[in-house]
Structures are given as structure tokens and as C-alpha cells.
Amino acid sequence: MLSFPRPSFPYTVNLQAELDALRNYRDTKEELQIPAATNDNLRIATWNIANLGAQDRTEKHVKLIAEIISWFDVIAIQETKDNFADLYAIKNFLAHPYQCIFSDAGGNDERMAFIYNSCRMAIMEEVAELAIPPSDFRFITLPGVAAAFDGFDRNPYMVSFKAKNFLFILMNVHLYYGDDTAKASINRRCLEAYAVGRSADLRGASKFSYTTNILALGDFNLPKVDETDPVYKALLSRGLQLPEHTSKVYSNISDDAAYDQVAFLPGMKSRIISHGIFPFDNIIFADLYKKKTAAEFKSYVKYYISDHRPLWINLSII
């Protein structure tokens, strides 16, 4: 997406106060608590951090982002721009044992990235962008969609990891957005969603798969989790499933869309211990919220942190 406008008003961030507020909110709200790390679990998250590397965040803002990321063992990040300086800054604030790996830049000059705790997991041999040969484009079709699939705007980025004896692949996804009101944009998004589901399905059924433990996670630009939604139907049409979120909190700070998801093949369902979304925008910069209009406050959060919230899943690796 295009960078958000930089807020015109001054505001001084009290870093320690904001860190304390985030941690207290996480720990005292039962529905928001992030599970502790154990020998038997893995905390996996996804976060679209708006235009990371393109918006002029200060060191304090980057440290706030790094704080939230530190609560997880691995996090898939979307909208890392071709300039990956802020990604490196986050990694450096996290310090050892956190490492990062990222793809080449695709549509909108965006890279897909992972930041992961190297003491909790290791990168394995398969690291790749999802490749669909042009000769297979003809298989990516949907009823009622006359448009032809001609590749992803941003190729999903796949990295294999191992935690203890659990081998798995994370597929970092940021589907095409375009225009929510344009049929051509929705059709393209549906075809990309179907292509992700088809790839996971084929890998899950193949005896030559590196592993059949596959999680597709990221920004699917999914308007709503509803059987009437065409993107939802396309994504799940080849067997992928989504967690049954009981919370009414959405993954965008406008609280009106379920863009961000973790999708999995049925064999992974029994490993899911818990899952949730962390609405950092409900607690951060509280003094600014009191002084400014709702629109001004939201513009500040969107520019310096993000317009998306991190979504997480707690997985058993026994």
C-alpha cells in the first residue's frame, strides 16, 4: 500500500510508560494473555507492519514494535519494504537469539520476512517463494470468475523450520488487495487465495513433500470470515481451515475486517492449543488518545506502529 500520511502534530513518546502499559495489558486481560514458552509449545504470529522501512518511525516506535514481537517464537511480517533497515533495527533491538530471513521484493516493493528465536527453532533446508509454473495457471480457476490467474502480485514466501522434532513450513502470504469495490480486484484476490489453498493441498497429499505440516499465515485481505464471502470460500475450497476465533476483536485497528489469518490443513488442527489477536491500539499512547480526535489518534498509530494487529497461534510440538 501507499505510505500513510505523516501526522502533522508533535507528540513525545514516553518509552518506558508505553512498554509498561503494553505488558500490563497483555498480562492482566485474560483473553489477551500470550502463552509462556515451554518445551512443548511454539508461539507463532503474523503481523502486517504497515510500510515497514518506508514510514519514518523513530527508535522509540521501533522498540515498541520489537517488544510485541519478543512475545513470540516466530513472527511472519508483511509489508517489509525494499528498504529493510527498520526490519534490521527491530532484530537488533531484540538481539540474540532472534534472527531474520526475508524474500526478494515483489509487488509494491514488499518483502516477506520472518523474525524467529534461534534458541527455540532452526531454519531447515526448504526456503523458497511459492512457484506455480505458467503451465499450471489453467488449473487455478473458480466458478463465476472469468478472469485468468497469471501469477501472484507478491509470491508467498515459504521457510521450513524445526522445533525439537517437529518439522513444519510457514508460508508467509500477502494477497492482492486492489480495490474492495472493484470486481476485478476481488476476482484476482480470490484466485490468489485459491492458489494458496491448492498449493497447500497438493503438498499435503504428495509423498515427495518436504513436510506436510504446513501453515499459511499473513494478510489474506479477507473481508470477513463468512461462507458468503468469495475470498473466504476460495481460500478454504481445497481443505484449508481457520481457527474458530471467539473474540470479537478484528485484526485491523478499524475493527471491521478479518484480513489476517493463520490457515492450516486438517492434520494440524489437533496441535492448536490456543490463539488470539493482540489489540495494542486499545492501550498504547493513552495520553494522546485523550488529547486528540479518534481520527488523529488512529493516524498516529497507523503511521508509527501499524493499521494491523498481530494475530497468533499457540501450537503443540510434542
Side-chain angles (χ1 to χ4, degrees):
M1 74 165 55
L2 296 175
S3 293
F4 291 119
R6 183 174 183 170
S8 58
F9 53 84
Y11 175 65
T12 301
V13 174
N14 183 328
L15 179 61
Q16 191 58 56
E18 298 302 339
L19 290 172
D20 291 343
L22 285 170
R23 293 164 184 164
N24 184 63
Y25 192 54
R26 174 200 63 192
D27 295 338
T28 58
K29 294 283 186 178
E30 184 177 353
E31 67 276 17
L32 300 179
Q33 289 177 3
I34 309 300
T38 72
N39 289 330
D40 300 329
N41 77 331
L42 202 67
R43 291 100 35 100
I44 300 171
T46 178
W47 196 3
N48 180 328
I49 305 177
N51 299 300
L52 187 64
Q55 295 175 186
D56 190 20
R57 293 171 170 89
T58 70
E59 180 178 294
K60 291 180 179 180
H61 297 112
V62 173
K63 285 183 175 179
L64 291 173
I65 293 170
E67 167 66 22
I68 294 172
I69 289 175
S70 74
W71 302 342
F72 305 102
D73 300 310
V74 57
I75 187 162
I77 300 174
Q78 301 83 46
E79 289 199 23
T80 296
K81 299 301 247 180
D82 197 20
N83 174 4
F84 48 83
D86 278 355
L87 178 69
Y88 267 23
I90 292 170
K91 183 186 80 73
N92 291 337
F93 287 136
L94 289 166
H96 180 77
Y98 282 89
Q99 302 293 331
C100 69
I101 186 170
F102 49 81
S103 70
D104 193 11
N108 199 32
D109 290 329
E110 290 181 29
R111 301 173 184 271
M112 306 294 183
F114 291 99
I115 293 180
Y116 65 98
N117 184 332
S118 62
C119 283
R120 298 272 290 161
M121 56 203 299
I123 286 182
M124 301 302 287
E125 292 88 351
E126 185 168 21
V127 177
E129 293 187 5
L130 176 58
I132 300 178
S135 58
D136 283 359
F137 286 1
R138 59 196 172 97
F139 299 122
I140 300 173
T141 60
L142 289 167
V145 177
F149 178 77
D150 60 359
F152 291 99
D153 187 50
R154 295 171 284 260
N155 286 343
Y157 184 50
M158 303 185 302
V159 176
S160 59
F161 294 95
K162 192 171 186 180
K164 293 181 68 174
N165 292 320
F166 180 59
L167 180 65
F168 62 103
I169 285 177
L170 297 182
M171 184 188 297
N172 193 343
V173 174
H174 190 187
L175 297 187
Y176 181 77
Y177 181 77
D179 183 344
D180 254 346
T181 62
K183 186 174 179 59
S185 293
I186 297 297
N187 285 344
R188 181 171 183 178
R189 202 184 312 169
C190 288
L191 290 172
E192 288 196 3
Y194 177 77
V196 168
R198 175 181 178 272
S199 174
D201 181 28
L202 293 176
R203 288 170 179 270
S206 173
K207 65 180 180 180
F208 300 114
S209 290
Y210 184 73
T211 175
T212 58
N213 297 321
I214 300 166
L215 291 164
L217 72 171
D219 182 357
F220 290 88
N221 279 311
L222 178 62
K224 56 183 177 178
V225 176
D226 189 292
E227 292 182 357
T228 64
D229 184 86
V231 182
Y232 175 86
K233 290 194 295 184
L235 179 62
L236 272 57
S237 63
R238 292 291 293 258
L240 282 177
Q241 299 179 3
L242 300 178
E244 297 176 4
H245 292 283
T246 56
S247 170
K248 295 297 183 182
V249 177
Y250 291 92
S251 69
N252 66 333
I253 67 173
S254 296
D255 268 331
D256 59 5
Y259 292 143
D260 308 277
Q261 296 291 336
V262 177
F264 50 87
L265 293 173
M268 292 285 287
K269 188 172 185 178
S270 62
R271 290 187 174 273
I272 298 173
I273 304 169
S274 58
H275 50 81
I277 293 169
F278 186 73
F280 63 87
D281 51 298
N282 287 351
I283 194 65
I284 206 166
F285 311 137
D287 55 337
L288 182 67
Y289 180 79
K290 294 175 183 177
K291 296 175 184 176
K292 297 294 181 180
T293 66
E296 288 173 324
F297 174 77
K298 188 178 292 186
S299 72
Y300 189 91
V301 173
K302 288 164 63 174
Y303 187 85
Y304 288 109
I305 306 296
S306 185
D307 59 333
H308 288 244
R309 298 158 170 162
L311 178 146
W312 58 267
I313 191 165
N314 185 28
L315 211 63
S316 169
I317 56 172
I318 299 174

